[in-house]
Amino acid sequence: MRVSVDRDLCVGAGQCVLSAEEVFDQDLHDGLVVLRTPDPSLAGLDAVRDAVDRCPAGAVTLHEG
């Protein structure tokens, strides 16, 4: 599994961080998403899926396979 983010789409809602703080963070200057790791553990898969579903801007993508 691989995660990607599009900072141009991000609106800074922070839902990704609330869902999977080990994978996502927010930039202190503009509040936009920061990807901590593009290759999270399998144990965090449900949290990452939740982050994808909760992102209001569609800025978080999960690539499975």
Side-chain angles (χ1 to χ4, degrees):
M1 139 174 96
R2 186 159 185 82
V3 179
S4 63
V5 296
D6 186 335
R7 288 178 49 90
D8 290 332
L9 292 178
C10 181
V11 296
Q15 296 303 304
C16 57
V17 178
L18 293 174
S19 296
E21 64 183 17
E22 66 282 351
V23 179
F24 305 102
D25 200 354
Q26 283 183 277
D27 188 292
L28 293 175
H29 300 290
D30 58 16
L32 300 181
V33 65
V34 173
L35 186 60
R36 290 180 179 223
T37 177
D39 299 307
S41 70
L42 290 177
L45 181 59
D46 286 340
V48 172
R49 284 186 179 136
D50 188 49
V52 171
D53 291 341
R54 294 177 69 184
C55 180
V60 179
T61 304
L62 176 62
H63 309 275
E64 296 187 67

